Amino acid sequence: MSKHQISRALTASLAGLASAWRTERAFRLEAAVLAAAIPVAFLLTPDFFRRAELIACLLAVLAVELLNTSIEKLCDRTTPQIDPVIKIVKDMGSAAVFCALFMAGAIWIGAALARFA
């Protein structure tokens, strides 16, 4: 990839993050949790890879949230009417976020138990 292509890709990614920050309450909340959790990960474990795992699972939550938001916005753009098929698609996106949150919670609880139990 050329520098120009990398620059364009980075610009598009940052624009997507900015849009999600402006328009999506769930994204802002999850980003705040990530920001607060980073120093906690350093307190919770001295192991570099365990810290990386704790932070990465929260980044995965943000990634799934971004994908879910993309699906929802595309569905809303497709038709303004309530469509039962689109509802199922949106519910599946929501379920994906739930699974990512559950995974992150399990990983963080496991790390806390390992540290304090």
Side-chain angles (χ1 to χ4, degrees):
M1 287 181 73
S2 71
K3 286 183 184 179
H4 179 69
Q5 290 172 316
I6 293 170
S7 176
R8 284 184 31 203
L10 177 60
T11 300
S13 296
L14 293 175
L17 289 170
S19 177
W21 182 264
R22 279 191 315 274
T23 64
E24 297 300 318
R25 183 174 176 259
F27 180 82
R28 288 191 301 272
L29 178 61
E30 292 157 355
V33 168
L34 172 64
I38 290 172
V40 175
F42 281 82
L43 296 172
L44 201 54
T45 180
D47 183 285
F48 172 81
F49 291 104
R50 186 67 169 166
R51 273 188 245 139
E53 174 187 41
L54 291 168
I55 294 166
C57 73
L58 295 175
L59 285 169
V61 169
L62 284 178
V64 174
E65 184 67 52
L66 288 165
L67 291 170
N68 180 50
T69 298
S70 299
I71 291 166
E72 287 181 350
K73 289 186 181 293
L74 184 59
C75 287
D76 291 345
R77 178 82 178 181
T78 301
T79 180
Q81 290 94 13
I82 295 175
D83 182 307
V85 175
I86 288 179
K87 181 188 180 316
I88 291 168
V89 169
K90 290 173 124 183
D91 289 349
M92 288 177 172
S94 179
V97 173
F98 175 80
C99 290
L101 287 166
F102 189 85
M103 173 198 64
I107 290 170
W108 274 83
I109 289 169
L113 288 174
R115 171 75 165 94
F116 298 112

